[in-house]
Structure formats: structure tokens, C-alpha cells
Amino acid sequence: MARRPIAAVAAALLFVEAVGIVFVHWILGRVVNSQSMSLAGLDSDVMSTSTYLMGGGFGLYLVTCGVFLLRAAVSDRPPGRLGRILLITCAVVHGVLGALCVGLVGWAAFVAMMVTFGLVVLSVIAYGKRDEGQADVSGPVDAPPAGPPENGTPAPA
């Protein structure tokens, strides 16, 4: 199965997207900082600082998701519980942003979001199922069924 290349491509897309998000928020912060207006009484310095912090936080989130995908691609092992939660939230964020991009940015941005969304979801699904070589260690395979037998006689001890 091609789960390693899919996870690697998804990680690369998330890294590129993280750089783009940080760059866009940096530009927006510079624009807001150069304005001498306020929004609902907020100072423009507060708005520009929060824009910088939001861009950095969202970029860090995308890089973290990309690192989990890259680790899965390199080691060919599924991400742990925290990694799966981050990747699922990343897929949800991309789905919502894709829906918003149609009206605000256009269809090209929607397609880019949906490609990333699809690759992240496909990576989560591809690494979600255990390999056949890994046996379930929950109990013995040839154990008799638990409980009394159907004919009403007690089972031998």
C-alpha cells in the first residue's frame, strides 16, 4: 500500500501551508500596525500583536501535524493517540477552511484545501488498521466460551 508516500506528501503540504499561513499573518499584522484606526476600541498595536501570535500559533499547529505525518511516513508506524487526535482536528480544520475558501478566495483555494484534507484523512485511515502480522493479545485464541454450557450442566473445572 502507498501509505508512506501519502503521509510524506501530506506532511510536505502541511509544512508549505504553515509557511504560507505565517507569511500571510505577518503581512496582515504589518498592515494593521501601519493603520491608525481602532476596531471596537482596540488599539492597532494589540490587533497587530494578536495577528502575529495567531499566525505563529496556527503555523506551529500545522508544523506539529506535519511532524506527526512525517514520523509516520519515515517509520511506517501509525501515530499515537495524540498524533491521531491532532491529525483528525487538522482534517476538520481543512474541511471548514475549504468550505470558507469557496466564497472568500475562490475555487482554486478550495481545491488546495480539499487535496490537503483528503491526504490527511487518507493517512489517518491508512495507518488506522493494524497489520495482519500483529496479533490481538487480548486473550487466548482457542479458549472455550465463558459461561455455563447450553445444556445446563456445569462446566468441568
Side-chain angles (χ1 to χ4, degrees):
M1 187 173 189
R3 63 185 183 183
R4 291 177 84 170
I6 290 171
V9 169
L13 282 176
L14 288 177
F15 292 144
V16 169
E17 187 176 352
V19 170
I21 288 291
V22 169
F23 180 70
V24 165
H25 279 82
W26 179 72
I27 295 287
L28 289 173
R30 298 278 303 198
V31 167
V32 169
N33 197 22
S34 66
Q35 301 292 318
S36 56
M37 299 184 292
S38 67
L39 180 67
L42 288 176
D43 188 23
S44 63
D45 291 335
V46 172
M47 291 189 292
S48 66
T49 303
S50 62
T51 303
Y52 292 141
L53 290 175
M54 182 63 187
F58 195 42
L60 184 64
Y61 169 72
L62 290 173
V63 165
T64 304
C65 293
V67 165
F68 276 105
L69 279 173
L70 187 62
R71 182 183 161 272
V74 168
S75 66
D76 200 25
R77 293 179 46 182
R81 180 175 292 178
L82 176 65
R84 288 183 60 82
I85 290 170
L86 277 175
L87 292 176
I88 290 169
T89 60
C90 183
V92 170
V93 165
H94 278 85
V96 171
L97 286 179
L100 291 173
C101 281
V102 173
L104 297 175
V105 181
W107 286 100
F110 171 76
V111 169
M113 285 290 133
M114 289 301 107
V115 165
T116 308
F117 168 78
L119 288 173
V120 170
V121 167
L122 189 59
S123 295
V124 169
I125 290 172
Y127 281 108
K129 191 168 184 144
R130 292 181 128 180
D131 290 336
E132 297 300 323
Q134 296 176 344
D136 187 17
V137 293
S138 61
V141 177
D142 294 329
E150 292 181 17
N151 61 7
T153 60

